[in-house]
Amino acid sequence: MIKLGVLISGSGTNLQAIIDAIARGSLDASIELVISSKPDAYGIKRAKDVSIPTIALSKAVYNEPLAADLLIATEMQNAGADHSGVDYIVMAGYMRMVRRPILEAFPNRVVNIHPALLPAFIGAHGIADAFEYGVKITGVTVHFANDAYDRGPIIAQRALAVAADDTLESLEERIHAIEHELYPEVLQLLAEGRVSVDNRGKVHIE
Amino acid sequence: MIKLGVLISGSGTNLQAIIDAIARGSLDASIELVISSKPDAYGIKRAKDVSIPTIALSKAVYNEPLAADLLIATEMQNAGADHSGVDYIVMAGYMRMVRRPILEAFPNRVVNIHPALLPAFIGAHGIADAFEYGVKITGVTVHFANDAYDRGPIIAQRALAVAADDTLESLEERIHAIEHELYPEVLQLLAEGRVSVDNRGKVHIE
């Protein structure tokens, strides 16, 4: 059983996938806190609906990235009924980098999901960039966040063939479906203590 | 039926895979000429063994890349019993870039294979770079060569999961096995006239 803190910015569909996996018993975890970088993120409602504590960053805090990340780190370290903090921070459609205050408080304990096969198509538009490039295979990557944007140790990847009749929309739909499946699976690997990072930054799954 | 000219630099295992696919009738093509950038490439012997005409670049020509590529373009344009030239140039372990004289003579008709899922792991060490990076999925790409190194239009890709117990050697072996399967398949798509490149540089397979 691991305790998770989830970072969101928008609709929170990956958050929902994690909530659902916990509810059906396939992910041995609890979500202790959801922090949104935007006050009006729909994911906040998803969390409140299942009584998960939430924090939405104010505009003032949001505009001070280091202060925001210090706040996030502190809240995550003190989350939970007994204030013992979370084991992992899960980035779920969180549209910002996490900076030093968070990374140092949670070394190799901040997880991100990216809608492409990293290191290909780094950045905020992974699906569209891959589609426009014309790759025939793309996919989803779950990795530990570090100070190299989208370049942290890769935990898991899943591939997907781009179909001849795919539109950007149909591709997005299938990528998101894989995300919602893969993310809880990887978190369950973490819950089972099966994931380690070696000194060269490579991830091993036992 | 298409006529191929093959460029090699080394042992020519992809050349052999193409020769074998033609021999067993799964690739509707003929190899009219094999050109090696190195005089002692073992692939030269593979070609001679099945009576394919060969040219090995002399050291002097090799050291003049533009002259070499002009020679290659000219030979490929005049290859075959009736000197009508080849339809496609196939790079098979050819360890050089192809330059303007070849690309202009064979626009979107120079095919290359790369042992990674491009645009990830561009360069001469695709397998090792992917392995060292720690990706969980890699693969093979067949693409048209253009003046952007390893960045030409992608025709086909095939993915491969990196196993927990993979060594670089075991991964290389499986990548090469995929290459030897995929390359003749893609050439057969070309033989069937099913491959087109649109004005944005995306490949469509009919």
Side-chain angles (χ1 to χ4, degrees):
Chain A
M1 171 74 129
I2 49 170
K3 293 179 285 179
L4 306 176
V6 181
L7 298 178
I8 62 170
S9 296
S11 68
T13 57
N14 271 310
L15 168 63
Q16 189 66 55
I18 295 164
I19 290 171
D20 293 345
I22 293 171
R24 70 172 176 267
S26 60
L27 171 55
D28 195 20
S30 62
I31 303 175
E32 302 294 337
L33 179 61
V34 170
I35 300 182
S36 169
S37 62
K38 294 182 182 172
D40 57 349
Y42 184 72
I44 290 281
K45 182 178 177 327
R46 296 182 193 269
K48 287 186 168 162
D49 281 351
V50 290
S51 305
I52 297 168
T54 63
I55 296 173
L57 299 187
S58 67
K59 196 116 190 170
V61 171
Y62 179 87
N63 288 335
E64 296 286 348
L66 270 176
D69 279 16
L70 197 55
L71 180 148
I72 291 169
T74 306
E75 293 290 347
M76 290 294 188
Q77 285 177 309
N78 292 283
D82 64 353
H83 306 290
S84 63
V86 302
D87 300 308
Y88 288 93
I89 294 178
V90 179
M91 300 169 73
Y94 183 68
M95 299 307 284
R96 302 188 99 179
M97 288 199 62
V98 292
R99 291 174 187 76
R100 193 168 293 177
I102 297 175
L103 295 171
E104 287 182 354
F106 293 89
N108 280 339
R109 287 180 173 267
V110 181
V111 188
N112 190 26
I113 192 160
H114 185 85
L117 292 176
L118 290 174
F121 306 114
I122 279 170
H125 309 287
I127 306 175
D129 290 347
F131 185 73
E132 285 307 313
Y133 191 98
V135 294
K136 302 299 184 184
I137 291 178
T138 183
V140 173
T141 302
V142 178
H143 66 97
F144 289 118
N146 63 17
D147 50 12
Y149 181 60
D150 281 348
R151 289 209 167 252
I154 292 175
I155 309 170
Q157 294 184 302
R158 197 151 292 169
L160 170 74
V162 181
D165 61 353
D166 257 324
T167 60
L168 175 58
E169 292 66 33
S170 67
L171 184 62
E172 282 173 338
E173 197 171 309
R174 280 153 57 229
I175 290 275
H176 292 319
I178 292 176
E179 288 181 50
H180 300 159
E181 196 177 274
L182 182 63
Y183 217 177
E185 283 179 30
V186 170
L187 295 174
Q188 179 60 18
L189 292 176
L190 293 171
E192 293 170 7
R194 294 170 59 191
V195 181
S196 59
V197 184
D198 72 20
N199 57 2
R200 297 177 309 164
K202 284 177 80 167
V203 174
H204 302 272
I205 313 284
E206 272 159 39
Chain B
M1 172 75 130
I2 48 170
K3 294 179 287 180
L4 306 176
V6 181
L7 297 178
I8 63 169
S9 295
S11 69
T13 57
N14 272 311
L15 168 63
Q16 189 65 54
I18 295 165
I19 290 171
D20 293 346
I22 293 171
R24 70 171 176 267
S26 60
L27 171 55
D28 195 20
S30 62
I31 303 176
E32 301 295 337
L33 179 61
V34 170
I35 299 181
S36 169
S37 62
K38 294 183 183 172
D40 56 349
Y42 184 73
I44 290 282
K45 183 180 176 328
R46 296 182 194 269
K48 287 186 167 161
D49 281 351
V50 290
S51 304
I52 297 169
T54 62
I55 296 173
L57 299 186
S58 68
K59 197 116 191 170
V61 171
Y62 179 87
N63 287 335
E64 296 286 348
L66 270 176
D69 279 15
L70 196 57
L71 180 149
I72 290 169
T74 305
E75 293 291 347
M76 290 295 187
Q77 285 178 309
N78 292 284
D82 62 354
H83 306 292
S84 62
V86 302
D87 299 309
Y88 288 94
I89 294 179
V90 179
M91 300 169 72
Y94 182 68
M95 299 307 284
R96 300 187 100 179
M97 287 198 64
V98 291
R99 290 173 187 78
R100 193 168 293 177
I102 296 175
L103 294 171
E104 287 182 354
F106 293 89
N108 280 338
R109 287 180 173 269
V110 181
V111 188
N112 190 25
I113 192 161
H114 186 84
L117 291 176
L118 291 175
F121 306 113
I122 280 170
H125 309 287
I127 305 176
D129 291 346
F131 185 73
E132 285 307 314
Y133 191 99
V135 293
K136 301 301 183 183
I137 290 178
T138 184
V140 173
T141 302
V142 178
H143 66 97
F144 289 116
N146 62 19
D147 50 12
Y149 181 60
D150 280 348
R151 289 209 167 250
I154 293 175
I155 309 170
Q157 295 185 299
R158 196 153 292 169
L160 170 74
V162 180
D165 60 354
D166 257 324
T167 60
L168 176 57
E169 291 67 33
S170 66
L171 184 62
E172 282 173 338
E173 198 171 308
R174 280 155 56 231
I175 291 275
H176 292 320
I178 291 176
E179 288 181 49
H180 301 158
E181 198 176 273
L182 183 62
Y183 218 177
E185 284 179 27
V186 170
L187 296 175
Q188 178 61 18
L189 293 177
L190 293 171
E192 294 171 6
R194 293 170 58 192
V195 181
S196 59
V197 185
D198 72 20
N199 56 2
R200 298 176 310 163
K202 283 177 79 168
V203 173
H204 302 271
I205 314 282
E206 275 158 38

